[in-house]
Amino acid sequence: RKEVEQDPGPFNVPEGATVAFNCTYSNSASQSFFWYRQDCRKEPKLLMSVYSSGNEDGRFTAQLNRASQYISLLIRDSKLSDSATYLCVVNGGSGYSTLTFGKGTMLLVSP
Amino acid sequence: EAGVTQFPSHSVIEKGQTVTLRCDPISGHDNLYWYRRVMGKEIKFLLHFVKESKQDESGMPNNRFLAERTGGTYSTLKVQPAELEDSGVYFCASSQDVGAGQEAFFGQGTRLTVV
């Protein structure tokens, strides 16, 4: 089983749609969790951290289920500018201080 | 404030040649990481420096890769001799503290092509 698994997509959605991405991780000792966003040929950038209680930032909601080792990202009211690859990232997987990345889920938002 | 900068942005070299990638982290960030993305694969950890010391180099693929961070500021990653499978995008990242929730800032990457 891969350390961090994501559905690669692509997810094709119209503007205004709600879309959800899921991610599972294998190491139960993982410490912290993030969603990064990567635009084509650009570097990854932090979108949001994921907290145990769940957290929301505008149109984005992240959830963590430690028992199931599962993380989710919900995007409401999708915008064209949301088109990107969303990377599930886990800290404390292979090493305490290292970030372990999923392959990413591609989102394409169309007019 | 300047972000993480990497040089060069692109490099095309022949198999067997040597290439050196450079990373300048954000000023004051003790933690510096190297990652690599090979086409079609996920971003993979290579190694982690805390100041000038190698904290974790478990991701380094083999002894053709040498990373240094003399003086605890910028870092270099040398590939010698380069092989075709070394092609990919090499990202450098830095963070202030190691700990839960600590954000890592990435450079724009060096796209290495070995032909």
Side-chain angles (χ1 to χ4, degrees):
Chain A
R1 181 180 173 184
K2 289 187 185 293
E3 289 191 72
V4 179
E5 287 203 71
Q6 294 181 252
D7 180 342
F11 283 54
N12 288 283
V13 303
E15 270 187 293
T18 295
V19 61
F21 305 138
N22 302 320
C23 167
T24 57
Y25 60 95
S26 61
N27 190 336
S28 59
S30 297
Q31 302 281 326
S32 49
F33 311 89
F34 310 89
W35 284 102
Y36 274 73
R37 170 191 168 133
Q38 186 171 24
D39 292 285
C40 187
R41 294 184 171 266
K42 298 283 190 179
E43 73 275 23
K45 291 187 178 178
L46 181 67
L47 177 67
M48 59 196 302
S49 300
V50 186
Y51 303 120
S52 296
S53 54
N55 47 300
E56 188 174 307
D57 183 2
R59 299 180 293 109
F60 299 84
T61 300
Q63 299 263 335
L64 167 65
N65 184 324
R66 283 189 186 269
S68 301
Q69 294 179 206
Y70 169 96
I71 306 157
S72 67
L73 176 68
L74 182 78
I75 304 176
R76 290 181 299 278
D77 188 23
S78 299
K79 311 290 184 192
L80 296 177
S81 57
D82 293 335
S83 297
T85 296
Y86 291 82
L87 302 164
C88 177
V89 183
V90 174
N91 195 343
S94 55
Y96 173 74
S97 58
T98 66
L99 300 176
T100 303
F101 286 77
K103 289 184 78 168
T105 299
M106 183 180 290
L107 171 66
L108 300 171
V109 182
S110 53
Chain B
E1 179 185 337
V4 177
T5 56
Q6 292 186 245
F7 181 84
S9 56
H10 294 81
S11 179
V12 181
I13 61 171
E14 291 184 352
K15 177 182 171 181
Q17 288 187 320
T18 297
V19 63
T20 300
L21 314 181
R22 173 173 169 140
C23 169
D24 286 77
I26 293 173
S27 177
H29 282 193
D30 287 341
N31 296 282
L32 186 150
Y33 310 85
W34 283 99
Y35 288 85
R36 175 173 76 170
R37 185 169 203 156
V38 171
M39 183 169 303
K41 306 270 187 170
E42 64 270 34
I43 295 173
K44 289 236 176 189
F45 167 79
L46 295 178
L47 88 160
H48 169 213
F49 283 99
V50 178
K51 296 185 181 179
E52 68 274 9
S53 300
K54 291 176 185 173
Q55 177 76 10
D56 181 353
E57 53 184 329
S58 61
M60 294 288 263
N62 51 59
N63 59 10
R64 296 186 293 103
F65 289 74
L66 175 64
E68 294 182 321
R69 192 183 182 195
T70 307
T73 55
Y74 71 91
S75 174
T76 57
L77 179 65
K78 183 194 293 189
V79 185
Q80 179 183 29
E83 297 290 344
L84 298 179
E85 65 264 25
D86 301 332
S87 296
V89 182
Y90 289 76
F91 289 105
C92 174
S94 72
S95 68
Q96 196 161 26
D97 296 307
V98 171
Q102 182 61 51
E103 179 180 2
F105 295 85
F106 283 78
Q108 291 191 313
T110 293
R111 185 172 298 274
L112 175 65
T113 303
V114 183
V115 297

